[in-house]
């Protein structure tokens, strides 16, 4: 539908588009690729951060399965912090940070969830920063 709509707008409209923002639905990406071949495609900040949070959850579930041999259950360290892992570090209370660190220490023997969470926090920081600070943070992450 999006590709058809772009076609209907004609080249007078589409030739002026330099950047196209989209969410991660492949249909949008395909339409932009086909109808706006010169445009730079970018994901909006909301969806990038959302995907980062999903990665943390996927890593948490995989580590849970690998270490305990089953899906998360009440009382399992990583299952108990699944929601806390989605919160920005700047919003966590001292009690939540202590609990998070304790549960990660107990359930994340190779620090995979911890690393994914720290990467997620850096990703969030980029999008919450002013542009000049965000650019610096991106450069630091890419250099690392």
């Amino acid at each position: 539908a999006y590709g058809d709509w772009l076609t209907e707008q004609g080249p007078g409209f589409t030739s002026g588009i330099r950047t196209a923002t989209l969410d991660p639905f492949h249909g949008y990406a395909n339409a932009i690729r086909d109808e706006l071949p010169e445009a730079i495609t970018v994901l909006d900040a909301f969806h990038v951060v959302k995907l980062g949070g999903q990665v943390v959850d996927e890593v948490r579930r995989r580590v849970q399965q690998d270490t305990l041999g089953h899906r998360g259950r009440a009382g399992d360290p990583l299952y108990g912090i699944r929601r806390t892992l989605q919160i920005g570090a700047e919003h966590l209370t001292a009690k939540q940070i202590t609990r998070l660190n304790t549960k990660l220490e107990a359930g994340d023997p190779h620090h995979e969830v911890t690393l994914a969470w720290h990467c997620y926090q850096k990703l969030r920081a980029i999008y919450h920063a002013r542009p000049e600070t965000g650019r610096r943070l991106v450069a630091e992450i890419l250099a690392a």
Side-chain angles (χ1 to χ4, degrees):
Y2 184 51
D4 292 342
W5 181 83
L6 285 169
T7 302
E8 289 172 9
Q9 303 313 302
F13 176 80
T14 58
S15 65
I17 298 174
R18 301 283 177 250
T19 305
T21 305
L22 64 145
D23 69 24
F25 173 61
H26 287 291
Y28 294 142
N30 293 340
I32 289 171
R33 182 196 65 226
D34 295 344
E35 303 302 325
L36 305 170
E38 301 299 318
I40 297 170
T41 56
V42 295
L43 286 175
D44 63 90
F46 169 80
H47 285 97
V48 172
V49 173
K50 182 179 175 186
L51 289 170
Q54 288 173 346
V55 169
V56 173
D57 200 47
E58 289 169 13
V59 171
R60 180 196 58 79
R61 279 188 258 141
R62 181 183 49 76
V63 170
Q64 170 79 42
Q65 184 69 38
D66 291 349
T67 57
L68 298 178
H70 59 78
R71 293 177 55 181
R73 299 178 187 153
D76 292 342
L78 296 181
Y79 184 77
I81 58 170
R82 67 193 183 285
R83 300 284 184 242
T84 307
L85 290 168
Q86 300 299 312
I87 299 171
E90 71 278 8
H91 298 295
L92 296 175
T93 64
K95 183 178 177 180
Q96 287 173 312
I97 292 169
T98 301
R99 183 172 176 269
L100 181 67
N101 289 333
T102 301
K103 299 287 186 173
L104 285 171
E105 190 174 311
D108 187 25
H110 302 293
H111 310 290
E112 296 166 87
V113 179
T114 304
L115 179 61
W117 185 76
H118 282 285
C119 290
Y120 172 63
Q121 295 303 317
K122 287 183 178 188
L123 180 67
R124 290 183 80 260
I126 290 168
Y127 285 105
H128 284 93
R130 297 199 173 276
E132 61 279 358
T133 305
R135 286 185 195 95
R136 181 182 51 76
L137 291 170
V138 167
E140 289 173 7
I141 289 170
L142 292 175

